[in-house]
Amino acid sequence: MIVAANFKTNKTRTQTREYMDEVNRFIHLEKIRCEVIVFPPLTALDSFMGEVTLGVQNAYAVEKGAFTGEVGTEQLDEFGIQTILIGHSERRHVLGESQEEIAHKFNYFKELGYKIVYCVGEKVETREAGQEALMAYINAQLVGIDLEYSNLVIAYEPVWAIGTGLVPSNEDIRSIHADLRAKSSRPLLYGGSVKLGNMDEIVSIENVDGVLVGGASLYAQSFCQMIKIAEDKI
Ligand code: 13P
């Protein structure tokens, strides 16, 4: 099981350090075997002791250079970061990243051996258009992506479920994860309004190998309880 926290544009450097200390302590004390990944904002990247894998929410496909406002691998190397989130819906729909740009970024970081948590997910109108339209949309988000890359993790995050408190039915999650499983043998995460109250149900669904949590990951204590629930499924 993989339990990942995406802080998005939340938490300061100090708050992130306190959070990492608390989660690392919990993992150590409880002898957690689940893989725990935390994606803090760029300003909070640092070197942390412990088992939590530190990932970056975004980076530019370059080592270094003249790309104002971006970070490249030279900056990530300073903190030993080897894990990146690519294709998140907020980067696709709010920041306007195209599939072509996303695939380019994927291939750049794949060549460097990064663990890539690659996100896909449909908007509500696509969901309402039926299963065929839904899978066509998701397939378009997989163009240019090596689905058997050995360090790939796929996260299914329906856009309409992100930060809304809405979650697809268990059957809908099961069905999409089955379709994704047919395309890739890599771990499949579900994301979108995962919280302590629905964690057990979600990680019990067939082909759900973990979760990517936004809002509910911001509280270290409840995130630790979510890790424990995933641990009990191993
Ligand atoms: P929420 O858990 O806040 O719905 O966010 C999900 C998400 O986008 C994680 O990447």
Side-chain angles (χ1 to χ4, degrees):
M1 280 277 166
I2 299 173
V3 187
N6 178 7
F7 288 179
K8 308 188 179 184
T9 317
N10 293 290
K11 289 201 187 289
T12 63
R13 187 177 195 76
T14 308
Q15 289 165 346
T16 300
R17 177 158 290 283
E18 286 165 6
Y19 182 101
M20 294 295 271
D21 286 349
E22 187 169 342
V23 175
N24 270 316
R25 217 169 20 247
F26 177 81
I27 289 174
H28 180 71
L29 285 175
E30 298 284 328
K31 302 186 170 58
I32 298 292
R33 292 156 300 158
C34 281
E35 182 176 2
V36 178
I37 309 173
V38 173
F39 297 95
L42 285 173
T43 55
L45 296 182
D46 210 339
S47 301
F48 301 101
M49 298 284 285
E51 296 303 313
V52 174
T53 299
L54 183 67
V56 69
Q57 294 173 23
N58 180 50
Y60 204 62
V62 74
E63 183 196 355
K64 60 183 175 175
F67 303 98
T68 301
E70 297 288 336
V71 299
T73 55
E74 183 181 68
Q75 289 79 45
L76 303 181
D77 287 349
E78 187 176 11
F79 306 113
I81 293 173
Q82 281 285 308
T83 302
I84 185 166
L85 203 56
I86 295 181
H88 192 278
S89 86
E90 285 142 22
R91 296 221 54 93
R92 292 179 189 272
H93 305 302
V94 183
L95 283 308
E97 280 186 18
S98 68
Q99 185 58 29
E100 202 180 354
E101 288 165 329
I102 289 168
H104 173 70
K105 195 177 283 191
F106 177 93
N107 284 304
Y108 181 84
F109 286 97
K110 175 191 157 192
E111 284 307 308
L112 294 174
Y114 273 60
K115 170 164 286 191
I116 298 175
V117 178
Y118 184 78
C119 304
V120 295
E122 81 288 359
K123 290 185 175 175
V124 73
E125 55 271 25
T126 310
R127 155 73 54 172
E128 283 165 356
Q131 186 72 10
E132 212 173 298
L134 173 55
M135 282 322 291
Y137 189 87
I138 293 202
N139 284 337
Q141 294 183 322
L142 296 172
V143 169
I145 306 302
D146 173 3
L147 295 176
E148 289 302 338
Y149 169 47
S150 60
N151 225 352
L152 169 67
V153 174
I154 299 173
Y156 169 58
E157 296 203 307
V159 179
W160 53 274
I162 294 177
T164 58
L166 301 171
V167 178
S169 67
N170 290 354
E171 178 46 30
D172 283 344
I173 296 176
R174 196 205 58 74
S175 153
I176 297 215
H177 277 237
D179 282 346
L180 289 170
R181 170 62 70 235
K183 298 176 193 300
S184 174
S185 60
R186 303 300 308 147
L188 302 175
L189 311 186
Y190 169 77
S193 295
V194 179
K195 54 183 192 232
L196 195 49
N198 59 20
M199 178 76 182
D200 190 81
E201 205 176 329
I202 289 171
V203 292
S204 302
I205 299 170
E206 203 182 348
N207 288 317
V208 172
D209 305 308
V211 287
L212 178 55
V213 191
S217 75
L218 295 175
Y219 306 93
Q221 238 180 2
S222 89
F223 187 62
C224 288
Q225 284 175 270
M226 293 168 87
I227 294 170
K228 185 80 176 89
I229 291 169
E231 182 74 12
D232 291 342
K233 299 289 171 197
I234 295 180

